[in-house]
Amino acid sequence: MAEKEMEAMAEQTGKKLSASTLKKCFWNWFFWNGCSQQAESMLGLAFGQSMAPVIDELYDTKEEKAAALKRHTSLFNTEAQVGSICSGIVCGLEETNANGKCTPEVIESVKVALIGPTSAIGDSLWVGTIIPILLTICMTLSQASVSWLGPVVYMIAYPLGTALLSWKLFQLGYKGGLEGMQTMMATGKLDRLTNAMVIMGLIVVGALTASNVVATIPFGIVGEVFDAASNATIPAVLFDANVMLDGFFPKLLPLLLTLFIYHLYAHKNWSPLKIMALIVVLAIALTAVQYLTGYADVQAVAAAAAAA
């Protein structure tokens, strides 16, 4: 009786993706979303590979499967974690298409429409906000307590957080995320959310810059001053260019260095390797100037005074 009831329900509801197939689709995307990234189709091949089990279950003929795979290996790009909602939405659309209630053209149009919002929200929320906050927490743990604690926490929290966020968004997409996304886009909530995430991400990046980027001007003056307590002359810092700058604009040099690196990367198309090489060269050159000008003595005297 139970088997007959299930068959009757299947006839009424049409084709339905199984839970195991949905999980295969999700894990294919989660682990392999960046495996085939290139300029021609971006993440298209990875998206097609993630949809392979869905297509295999929904369609019967070789021609139908080939057509479905072809439309899912075309140009596609998104932020991988938040972009998992795209996979969920497309699974629901493919299921609807297999039951004759949708068209391939609609699926392709929806995929293209989702590229912009999911990329913007993903880059702002995950890459620009959550990851920097997590890194800040872990670096603070390493500095405040055991040095290995921060990396361990990051290695545990990052993959678990990524998997949880991606899976929940995938489920949201499959269960009706398209309607929700359309509603957010129509009411303007999506733009407001994107702008809020961009602002929050910029605040976090600014805090990281002030906390972790170090840049100094290797110029200062050390002189002898009379110390009444010891009734003797002691070395003291008479002038420090960095203290003067921090007096009217704290962390100005780290900010300028960060903006300069951003300019090279975003506007001059410098590769990360070239930028890292430049930073190394600058560090070596400024360290040499520091010792040649005697600024190392300024730092040593300042450290001794602070310790006293």
Side-chain angles (χ1 to χ4, degrees), residues 238-252:
L238 303 179
F239 175 77
D240 189 338
N242 299 286
V243 174
M244 182 190 69
L245 283 176
D246 286 340
F248 70 86
F249 198 133
K251 303 294 184 179
L252 175 60

Side-chain angles (χ1 to χ4, degrees), residues 52-74:
V54 173
I55 293 170
D56 191 54
E57 181 170 319
L58 289 176
Y59 299 104
D60 301 319
T61 67
K62 183 178 179 181
E63 290 74 20
E64 288 177 324
K65 293 179 180 180
L69 281 173
K70 184 177 180 180
R71 65 174 166 264
H72 290 309
T73 53
S74 58

Side-chain angles (χ1 to χ4, degrees), residues 215-222 237-245 253 286-299 302:
T216 58
I217 297 177
F219 179 70
I221 300 174
V222 175
V237 178
L238 303 179
F239 175 77
D240 189 338
N242 299 286
V243 174
M244 182 190 69
L245 283 176
L253 289 177
L286 291 175
T287 301
V289 172
Q290 173 178 297
Y291 283 97
L292 291 173
T293 59
Y295 186 70
D297 297 333
V298 175
Q299 292 181 311

